[in-house]
Amino acid sequence: MASLPGTALPEEYVSDVYEMPEQVTLWQDAWRRVRRNKLALVGTTIIGILVLTAVVSVFWTPYPVWKQAVGPTYAGISAQHWLGLDASGRDIFSRIMGGALISLQVGVGTMLIVSAIGIVMGLLAGFYRGAIDAVISLAINIWYGIPDLLVVILLVLLFGRSLANIAFAIAITRWMDMARLVRGQTFALREREFVEAARSTGTRNLVIIARHIFPNALGPILVQATYAVPQAILFEAFLSYLGLGVPPPTPSWGAMAADGFHALELAPHIVLAPAIALSLTLMAFNFVGDGLRDALDPRMRR
Amino acid sequence: MTQRSGWKALSGTVLVTLLLAACGSGSTGTSESLAPDQTLRFPINEDIGTLDAAHISALVDFDFGQNVFDSVVTFDKSGKIVPDLATGLPNVSSDGLTYTFHLKHNVKFSNGDPVTAADVIYSWNRTAAAQDAYAPNFSPIAGYDALAATPPTAKTMTGLTKTDDYTVVAKLSNSAGWWMSALALGGASWVIDQKVVQAKGEDTWWTTPEGLVGTGPFKMTARTPKASLDFAPVSNWWNGSTGALKKIHVDVVADPASWVTKYEQGGYEIVGYADMAATNEDILRYKAGTHANELTLNPAVRSTWVGFNFEKGPFAGAAGKDGRKAFSMAIDRSQMVDVACAKGATCAPATGGLIPKGLKGYLGDGQDASAKFDAAAAMTLYKQWDPTGSKVKNLTYSYNPSAQNQATAENLQAQWKQNLGVTVKLEAIDRQTFFTSRDKKTYIMFRHSWSADYDHPQDWFDNLYVTGAGSGGTGYSNKALDQLVTSADQKPIDQSLNDYIQAQKMMIDDSFSAPLYYGVQPYIIKPYVKGAGGNAFFDYLWTDIRILQH
Amino acid sequence: MTRGTLIYIVQRLLLISFTAIAISSIVFIGEHALLPGDAFVSERPHNPRELAMLLHHFHLDLPLPQQYQVWVTGVLHGDLGESLVNRGVQITPLLVRELGTSAELGAAALVFTVGLGLLLGLFAALKQNTWIDYVASSTAVVGYSMPSFVIATVLVLLTGKLLYIWTNGAFYYEIGWGKPTQILVPAIALGFPYASIVARLTRASMLEVIRQDYVRTAWAKGLRPRIVIIRHALRNALIPVVTILGPLATGILTGVVVIENIFGIPGLGKEFIDSILNRDYNIVIGVFTFYAALVGLVNLGVDLLYPVLDPRIRY
């Protein structure tokens, strides 16, 4: 018997080659897309290596990261020292490992703080609108006008050069992007039917925000967060270059590169190792961010 | 030609040749051919602090001022005291209390104003009244104490008078064997133009080309604050020739690495003047490379050591002695010099006391017991002194950042961790805050260094080691040492030298410090620039420099 | 210019002034209340009387509200005071001079950024998925993945040292500031990371525009590809680029700080670092004021550019 399209058919009428499209969630679909994106895969691999190195460095490095004169200063690559020695005679390979930990801590730490501040601000501004939005938007605009590098330097000078302070100082100047994004998303989402439905059943505002709006905005939030990590790592590298990053002897790739520049002609490996490590890490996070953005963007269907 | 005319020709030729040779050897011209452009260019890393005689103290400022100003006496290249504005060395009375200076009659400031005894007295009184860093150079003069009192009761020293327009008489309240050296140093004792100071303002007269008026061979012709300085010779200088240079151009550029790049491009003739230094890496490159002849390593009269706080903290007093000793014994100075000073190019281990080699008061190579390295003994002594590790909790080493200070600090940290098992935190404090706080004895363990002003141990003791020393930072107080030094200060140096050596031995017994290294001043000079460089105390004057054809 | 535009400009200028004064006030109060360290120090201690005279000269012996009042009065007259470290140096002319330097550098970098970015993006889009696209895109990614101080120092090594050696002194980059040619290398170092961002954006938006119907129509009509691109596609593809010009300019102004320090260019960025490290409080406040105003003005300029590029936008 003929039936309306879309209704279930008895098995004998279902052709062998016709398959029902699989029901996938946004996340499963995104994951598939990411998997197809080669650059994003490369990026993920690099990040994986980074995390592994960072974890291992807590327990073991070929030489202690702080010990000087383990060999002749400026020595090049050799069997005992896989990346050579720096100007103070410290093993560079060990310090690169230690630097991975620092970069991860700064990057992820800043990202978490930025997300916390930005998401809260964005949700409040976007959902309640009116006066709250006006105030938060004004704050965002004013904050954009503040030169961020200058503020970070000033804050670090005032409150000290610890990892936490640096992450905090960077986050304070960079939360606006996340806030603006979440605000935009909230604006759009709050007009959707499921929000209206929730409201009509008398759900409290905070529950609506937490249960309906926030999870639906999660995609772009995740993308923005992924971009926030290399931004923070770059910032810390700048600070280290200016001599304001994490204090010695903690190895930071930015500080290592800064120290190594003077020896560029004498011993290029001193600056090349951290510079390449930095660049690879930043590229990796950017690739993954791009991949996530392409994967979660509903317009880019192929 | 007949034989006779041949002989005539030959003898004629010989005669002419002899005449020419005689004329040639009689000429006084040098055989150097000077380049047409006699401009000297070199970099400094920050703008000058001050060129006001009453306030000057930094070595970089001295190296500029010495070409623009003069005093009654000065040091020659080899460090001997010679007359400058005076006609000869002063007449000193037999009791050593009265100094009479006779001034030259033809001295003029660069703006044409003549110089008389009144100018000398005005300048010296002004410096003494300002009570800044080097005012104590005049402390032996009678009446100085009135200016130094709080509140001051006079503005001029009663002991400083003139008997006529060209004779200055200084009566001292106590004999001082070091006073001539202090005068020859310059700075505080430079003669300045009262009219200019009053016209242009007490604080800022020296900041513009029109205001920087002195008796020296050079004057400032242009200044862009924090960017550049230009000097040129004073025309018709009262003391004759100002030398070959026609212009000196100084760039203010913070990064030492870019100095050497620009030098190699031909943008500078010298790197290293005014107490500046190229990076360790550039020095190593030059030492080992084809241009090694352009690098000169001059032993400098600077000494660096780790200071301890004797008034508070774990290292205080007698109870802290073992700690101080252990920390000093745990430092391998040859490793430090290797790591922090371009493999030993820009400093040498300090094994002969805190007064550097080459100066009076040096104890002799290896004579400083507190500079010996013994890791095992250090560890044992440390464990004895602090078995629970409670004394070194949060221990911090404080210093002002510069490339060498940073490398030194990090090496100290690494060595103490390795040889004592102690983790010391590093604290880099900006130069200004660091110096005030150090003088206020804020820091527990800190970097200290001193560049000798002149070759006399009094310079070190009175500023650093006696009770209440202004720049000590330690709070060290040894009454016996104070007495010894006070009496030594009054005697001439050949009699007092032994006293100063004894005083140093007292300090070593007290484990006063952990000596580190003596400084070396590196100069990189183009091979066609002659007369440049320096002695241990200061750069050679610009009047000596010539740029040859190249 | 319409009345609406004028009102808009005035509103923005007011906001800029307010922000600038607010920021510098915060810095002023923060510095004078919080920062440790005496203002005047040298290797040997100052006499207390001398110190008192200096404090009085700089109004540092007054209570904080009065100091602030003195300072604000000065600012309204255009006088930012005197340097604490280099006596006799007036701050306002110093910063104005350095502002000009930084503005020159920033403008050159902006031109380079937009120029190179557009070119790279265009080529990558037009030759999509060929090796040209690959090279251009990779260059872009490298550009914004490397810290600018890495790019800068590599450039200095290449153009300063190696170029000098290869051409035996004929061509080289002379470190410093003063000659017109000396702006090239710092501008490139400063602009390169941002050029990459522009390139990516241009590529993406160009790709989208090319697929639009009106472009296909123009092609189908037989118009030469070049005309099609320039006339139709480019202008529309540029719109997203224009929208990021604001953040781009701000980003360049931030990057100026590091670049000026590396190349020793006497601009605001270098002054900022120097004055912070020297604890020259007066100059630090002055720099913040100027910087905030500069950022505001640059953004205003960019915003005023929109109606020129897209007539649909009006204030």
Side-chain angles (χ1 to χ4, degrees):
Chain A
M1 201 151 67
S3 57
L4 291 169
T7 57
L9 293 172
E11 281 80 32
E12 55 263 28
Y13 290 105
V14 175
S15 126
D16 292 70
V17 300
Y18 179 76
E19 279 177 28
M20 203 59 154
E22 227 180 298
Q23 302 267 5
V24 289
T25 65
L26 176 65
W27 296 104
Q28 286 171 318
D29 182 42
W31 174 236
R32 264 205 222 145
R33 297 236 214 121
V34 170
R35 273 202 343 232
R36 277 194 298 205
N37 185 336
K38 288 199 220 82
L39 284 178
L41 280 181
V42 169
T44 319
T45 320
I46 295 181
I47 295 178
I49 299 179
L50 183 76
V51 173
L52 194 63
T53 315
V55 170
V56 170
S57 80
V58 174
F59 305 106
W60 173 85
T61 57
Y63 294 86
V65 293
W66 52 267
K67 193 157 176 204
Q68 299 198 356
V70 293
T73 54
Y74 304 103
I77 296 178
S78 68
Q80 302 104 321
H81 303 282
W82 299 337
L83 285 176
L85 296 170
D86 69 6
S88 301
R90 293 177 289 205
D91 181 47
I92 295 182
F93 185 79
S94 311
R95 303 199 91 223
I96 295 278
M97 288 178 70
L101 182 64
I102 299 296
S103 296
L104 261 189
Q105 284 176 314
V106 170
V108 173
T110 310
M111 181 267 282
L112 288 174
I113 302 177
V114 162
S115 303
I117 303 178
I119 293 176
V120 168
M121 290 289 180
L123 284 175
L124 288 176
F127 190 80
Y128 287 109
R129 298 209 286 201
I132 298 186
D133 180 30
V135 167
I136 294 185
S137 291
L138 187 64
I140 292 181
N141 279 328
I142 291 189
W143 229 269
Y144 265 125
I146 300 179
D148 49 7
L149 191 60
L150 279 64
V151 170
V152 173
I153 292 177
L154 205 59
L155 284 176
V156 168
L157 264 170
L158 277 177
F159 296 114
R161 286 168 61 183
S162 70
L163 203 70
N165 286 346
I166 291 175
F168 191 68
I170 300 177
I172 283 245
T173 54
R174 290 249 61 93
W175 59 274
M176 304 89 72
D177 289 332
M178 180 67 89
R180 268 215 314 204
L181 174 79
V182 174
R183 175 177 174 270
Q185 292 283 311
T186 314
F187 262 161
L189 284 170
R190 114 201 249 288
E191 309 305 327
R192 298 278 284 274
E193 310 80 23
F194 55 86
V195 169
E196 236 188 276
R199 243 199 279 237
S200 61
T201 61
T203 324
R204 287 187 11 241
N205 278 341
L206 276 170
V207 176
I208 297 181
I209 295 179
R211 271 228 202 113
H212 296 281
I213 299 195
F214 176 62
N216 282 299
L218 205 49
I221 288 180
L222 215 59
V223 173
Q224 184 71 18
T226 313
Y227 283 132
V229 176
Q231 272 179 19
I233 297 182
L234 197 59
F235 226 116
E236 196 278 327
F238 271 146
L239 285 178
S240 295
Y241 184 80
L242 294 170
L244 295 166
V246 282
T250 325
S252 143
W253 289 343
M256 290 168 70
D259 289 339
F261 273 131
H262 292 156
L264 198 51
E265 287 175 70
L266 200 62
H269 62 277
I270 300 182
V271 73
L272 278 177
I276 294 180
L278 252 178
S279 307
L280 281 179
T281 307
L282 295 173
M283 270 194 265
F285 276 99
N286 281 325
F287 284 155
V288 171
D290 288 348
L292 273 179
R293 193 197 53 203
D294 291 345
L296 288 168
D297 185 352
R299 285 181 299 159
M300 298 216 9
R301 296 196 176 278
R302 308 252 179 117
Chain B
M1 232 188 323
T2 65
Q3 227 179 357
R4 260 188 102 198
S5 53
W7 273 113
K8 258 201 207 159
L10 185 61
S11 53
T13 319
V14 171
L15 195 61
V16 170
T17 317
L18 281 170
L19 275 171
L20 280 174
C23 291
S25 62
S27 78
T28 50
T30 74
S31 53
E32 297 176 333
S33 53
L34 298 178
D37 180 16
Q38 291 290 317
T39 305
L40 181 73
R41 293 161 300 174
F42 62 88
I44 54 179
N45 72 340
E46 32 177 33
D47 205 354
I48 50 176
T50 176
L51 291 175
D52 186 341
H55 301 286
I56 193 167
S57 69
L59 186 54
V60 48
D61 297 337
F62 263 91
D63 279 327
F64 281 98
Q66 64 179 358
N67 293 289
V68 176
F69 295 101
D70 299 308
S71 179
V72 288
V73 292
T74 185
F75 291 113
D76 69 6
K77 266 172 143 170
S78 60
K80 220 169 67 145
I81 300 180
V82 297
D84 200 350
L85 295 181
T87 54
L89 290 182
N91 303 348
V92 185
S93 63
S94 48
D95 59 2
L97 292 180
T98 309
Y99 285 67
T100 310
F101 298 89
H102 296 282
L103 297 179
K104 293 177 180 157
H105 289 232
N106 62 340
V107 186
K108 287 202 187 356
F109 287 109
S110 60
N111 59 2
D113 292 345
V115 173
T116 62
D119 294 302
V120 176
I121 295 179
Y122 164 76
S123 307
W124 291 6
N125 274 326
R126 180 174 177 271
T127 302
Q131 279 296 297
D132 209 325
Y134 278 90
N137 278 12
F138 298 110
S139 54
I141 300 183
Y144 173 83
D145 293 331
L147 282 70
T150 28
T153 51
K155 282 196 140 183
T156 55
M157 299 179 277
T158 54
L160 192 61
T161 55
K162 63 173 181 153
T163 55
D164 62 53
D165 274 343
Y166 295 100
T167 312
V168 177
V169 177
K171 280 210 179 30
L172 306 190
S173 47
N174 277 316
S175 70
W178 53 272
W179 193 53
M180 285 298 286
S181 300
L183 283 183
L185 172 64
S189 58
W190 286 332
V191 178
I192 61 181
D193 191 342
Q194 178 172 15
K195 280 193 261 157
V196 170
V197 174
Q198 284 168 345
K200 299 266 181 209
E202 280 281 340
D203 283 342
T204 52
W205 61 273
W206 56 270
T207 57
T208 59
E210 302 76 39
L212 189 66
V213 169
T215 56
F218 287 87
K219 59 176 196 241
M220 182 157 64
T221 51
R223 177 163 183 229
T224 313
K226 293 168 165 275
S228 68
L229 301 137
D230 286 90
F231 294 83
V234 172
S235 39
N236 297 324
W237 187 44
W238 62 271
N239 210 5
S241 165
T242 58
L245 291 181
K246 293 281 166 272
K247 182 166 163 199
I248 291 110
H249 175 81
V250 183
D251 279 336
V252 180
V253 175
D255 179 27
S258 58
W259 300 344
V260 174
T261 309
K262 192 157 176 178
Y263 168 88
E264 287 167 357
Q265 290 170 349
Y268 297 131
E269 277 71 41
I270 300 179
V271 172
Y273 253 48
D275 200 28
M276 299 290 131
T279 61
N280 279 358
E281 288 80 9
D282 285 320
I283 292 175
L284 280 174
R285 231 178 2 105
Y286 270 78
K287 241 180 122 187
T290 51
H291 292 273
N293 60 327
E294 294 177 30
L295 177 69
T296 319
L297 296 171
N298 230 16
V301 291
R302 178 175 276 268
S303 179
T304 306
W305 64 94
V306 176
F308 299 103
N309 195 316
F310 276 73
E311 287 181 359
K312 57 179 185 179
F315 296 113
K321 180 162 169 200
D322 281 349
R324 304 193 293 269
K325 197 160 170 202
F327 270 75
S328 183
M329 248 201 290
I331 304 174
D332 180 359
R333 279 129 186 112
S334 52
Q335 181 196 112
M336 165 168 297
V337 156
D338 192 37
V339 162
C341 300
K343 298 199 208 274
T346 56
C347 68
T351 59
L354 289 179
I355 298 184
K357 189 165 182 172
L359 288 186
K360 301 192 177 69
Y362 180 63
L363 297 177
D365 295 343
Q367 292 299 308
D368 186 349
S370 63
K372 290 223 189 330
F373 170 58
D374 188 339
M379 173 71 98
T380 323
L381 186 59
Y382 166 70
K383 282 269 179 277
Q384 225 181 308
W385 176 69
D386 182 23
T388 58
S390 57
K391 292 196 183 152
V392 297
K393 250 170 85 100
N394 281 330
L395 189 58
T396 310
Y397 170 76
S398 313
Y399 62 102
N400 57 309
S402 76
Q404 194 175 64
N405 292 359
Q406 183 77 32
T408 307
E410 290 188 27
N411 187 252
L412 280 173
Q413 186 185 44
Q415 292 210 46
W416 282 329
K417 187 158 181 170
Q418 184 178 346
N419 298 329
L420 294 177
V422 175
T423 306
V424 175
K425 285 201 274 252
L426 296 182
E427 195 191 5
I429 299 144
D430 65 283
R431 199 162 171 269
Q432 299 200 213
T433 314
F434 178 68
F435 286 136
T436 337
S437 307
R438 183 177 69 188
D439 292 340
K440 288 202 201 132
K441 300 175 240 171
T442 316
Y443 304 123
I444 301 296
M445 191 163 71
F446 50 90
R447 172 190 176 269
H448 211 319
S449 80
W450 191 258
S451 213
D453 298 311
Y454 40 80
D455 190 2
H456 199 296
Q458 174 269 347
D459 183 36
W460 298 75
F461 280 93
D462 281 344
N463 284 302
L464 299 166
Y465 310 139
V466 297
T467 305
S471 300
T474 58
Y476 176 64
S477 179
N478 183 329
K479 293 282 179 249
L481 182 135
D482 293 344
Q483 278 178 333
L484 192 54
V485 169
T486 314
S487 78
D489 283 350
Q490 302 193 354
K491 300 187 240 176
I493 185 64
D494 38 333
Q495 294 172 18
S496 58
L497 190 56
N498 243 345
D499 294 342
Y500 290 119
I501 292 185
Q502 285 316 307
Q504 283 194 73
K505 294 225 167 88
M506 282 191 208
M507 285 163 52
I508 294 175
D509 283 338
D510 284 340
S511 290
F512 169 76
S513 68
L516 294 179
Y517 45 75
Y518 306 133
V520 170
Q521 175 64 26
Y523 292 103
I524 303 181
I525 306 176
K526 290 281 183 197
Y528 49 82
V529 175
K530 297 288 174 207
N535 61 21
F537 290 87
F538 50 80
D539 298 333
Y540 291 150
L541 297 171
W542 298 339
T543 45
D544 294 333
I545 303 180
R546 304 151 331 257
I547 302 178
L548 301 185
Q549 285 276 19
H550 56 274
Chain C
M1 254 196 299
T2 67
R3 200 160 152 271
T5 321
L6 267 170
I7 294 181
Y8 179 73
I9 294 181
V10 169
Q11 280 178 326
R12 287 291 294 270
L13 283 177
L14 278 176
L15 183 64
I16 293 173
S17 322
F18 171 71
T19 316
I21 294 188
I23 292 176
S24 32
S25 298
I26 295 177
V27 177
F28 182 97
I29 295 173
E31 273 189 344
H32 286 252
L34 288 177
L35 276 181
D38 288 1
F40 307 103
V41 173
S42 54
E43 203 163 70
R44 303 190 194 206
H46 272 281
N47 172 263
R49 196 173 18 124
E50 182 74 22
L51 197 61
M53 277 190 341
L54 276 172
L55 284 175
H56 185 73
H57 176 85
F58 283 104
H59 309 287
L60 288 170
D61 49 357
L62 297 168
L64 188 58
Q66 256 187 297
Q67 285 187 40
Y68 185 63
Q69 183 191 20
V70 167
W71 177 72
V72 171
T73 323
V75 168
L76 291 175
H77 285 123
D79 176 19
L80 284 166
E82 187 187 324
S83 161
L84 292 181
V85 174
N86 298 96
R87 299 296 313 285
V89 172
Q90 293 301 320
I91 296 183
T92 311
L94 179 74
L95 290 186
V96 168
R97 170 169 60 89
E98 292 176 341
L99 178 67
T101 309
S102 295
E104 260 182 70
L105 182 60
L110 195 60
V111 167
F112 171 74
T113 297
V114 174
L116 181 69
L118 284 180
L119 275 174
L120 275 181
L122 267 176
F123 271 110
L126 291 176
K127 308 277 182 189
Q128 193 190 6
N129 290 327
T130 63
W131 66 271
I132 297 182
D133 178 16
Y134 182 67
V135 164
S137 297
S138 309
T139 314
V141 173
V142 167
Y144 68 74
S145 296
M146 284 217 296
S148 66
F149 59 83
V150 173
I151 299 175
T153 319
V154 168
L155 269 179
V156 169
L157 183 69
L158 275 177
T159 57
K161 285 223 161 95
L162 296 180
L163 198 59
Y164 183 84
I165 296 177
W166 291 336
T167 62
N168 253 332
F171 290 106
Y172 60 90
Y173 167 70
E174 187 184 325
I175 297 184
W177 192 254
K179 301 203 197 120
T181 48
Q182 286 178 307
I183 202 176
L184 283 174
V185 177
I188 294 177
L190 181 55
F192 195 56
Y194 302 101
S196 313
I197 299 178
V198 171
R200 276 165 48 95
L201 200 58
T202 311
R203 177 179 180 276
S205 97
M206 192 66 182
L207 280 177
E208 206 176 298
V209 165
I210 286 183
R211 301 194 200 303
Q212 299 276 355
D213 290 339
Y214 68 87
V215 174
R216 290 172 185 253
T217 314
W219 250 319
K221 281 207 279 186
L223 283 178
R224 279 168 47 221
R226 195 172 296 162
I227 298 184
V228 173
I229 293 168
I230 295 177
R231 264 233 201 111
H232 300 276
L234 191 59
R235 198 183 297 153
N236 286 312
L238 279 185
I239 292 180
V241 175
V242 167
T243 53
I244 66 158
L245 259 186
L248 200 65
T250 313
I252 288 183
L253 283 177
T254 312
V256 150
V257 174
V258 180
I259 294 293
E260 282 183 4
N261 271 284
I262 296 176
F263 289 88
I265 296 173
L268 273 186
K270 182 155 177 303
E271 186 62 59
F272 175 66
I273 301 288
D274 287 349
S275 61
I276 280 219
L277 293 179
N278 288 335
R279 301 273 169 167
D280 200 335
Y281 301 154
N282 290 359
I283 295 191
V284 172
I285 299 171
V287 171
F288 262 94
T289 318
F290 266 75
Y291 225 88
L294 184 63
V295 168
L297 285 172
V298 165
N299 278 312
L300 177 60
V302 165
D303 284 344
L304 287 178
L305 214 55
Y306 288 168
V308 173
L309 291 171
D310 183 355
R312 291 176 296 175
I313 301 176
R314 241 193 307 251
Y315 293 115

